[in-house]
Amino acid sequence: MSLEVNKVFAAVLTAGVVFMVSGVIGGAIVHPRKLETSALAPAAPPAAAAPAAAPAEVQPIGPLLAAASADNGRQIAQRACASCHNFVQGGPNGVGPNLWGVVNGPHAHVEGFNYSAAMRALHDKPWDYEALNAFLTRPAAAIPGTRMAYAGMSSINQRADVIVFLRSLAAEPAPLP
């Protein structure tokens, strides 16, 4: 019996020595260098949650809305937005607010939702078609400090479809421009 115990201890000791030696050899071969600053350092908070103008590269959406498809917009929104937003009247909020009645409604339109300070600062400004277009293009550029973690939608035709779909989410849809 003692011979079996010795074999187990020898195996554990041998494995430990092998791991230690391989670590020393690996460190000598690779030459790791230490970072000067931590890679996980928190980023500085945004300077001010002041509203910014829409990015210059955003094309006007108005001319495309008349030919846009609410059905295509519904499909795009289900794919890109439904994981965070709800589209049903009176439906619950998700990670993002319910989007029923968002077109021509005020920014931060859902009572009780925890909007960012940047979004709450724009409460008096309505979500018109151009504001939605800029926000859907690049949310962080349209409203610096927003909590929406969405990179944006590059296709202007898809944005027009989504905006026309969002327009349909109201008892009385807003008139097209």
Side-chain angles (χ1 to χ4, degrees):
M1 172 101 172
S2 73
L3 186 59
E4 293 298 319
V5 173
N6 285 344
K7 287 180 183 179
V8 170
F9 284 132
V12 171
L13 184 62
T14 302
V17 169
V18 167
F19 284 130
M20 183 182 72
V21 169
S22 64
V24 169
I25 292 172
I29 292 172
V30 174
H31 300 295
R33 56 188 165 100
K34 295 191 178 213
L35 297 176
E36 293 160 8
T37 59
S38 174
L40 301 176
E57 69 270 0
V58 177
Q59 299 172 349
I61 198 78
L64 298 174
L65 293 177
S69 167
D71 290 331
N72 288 346
R74 176 179 287 113
Q75 291 174 1
I76 295 166
Q78 289 297 330
R79 206 171 352 126
C81 311
S83 62
C84 297
H85 296 281
N86 190 336
F87 306 110
V88 179
Q89 183 177 12
N93 294 321
V95 173
N98 184 323
L99 295 179
W100 181 268
V102 70
V103 175
N104 282 346
H107 285 63
H109 71 286
V110 176
E111 290 295 323
F113 186 79
N114 187 21
Y115 288 102
S116 65
M119 189 66 75
R120 283 192 309 269
L122 297 173
H123 181 71
D124 295 336
K125 183 180 174 193
W127 277 116
D128 60 17
Y129 296 115
E130 295 305 328
L132 283 167
N133 182 37
F135 193 71
L136 289 174
T137 301
R138 280 196 52 223
I143 303 177
T146 184
R147 290 187 185 141
M148 186 161 157
Y150 177 65
M153 191 176 297
S154 60
S155 170
I156 191 166
N157 292 326
Q158 287 183 346
R159 289 194 309 267
D161 290 343
V162 169
I163 291 170
V164 167
F165 166 65
L166 292 174
R167 175 185 170 265
S168 72
L169 300 178
E172 294 181 27
L176 289 172

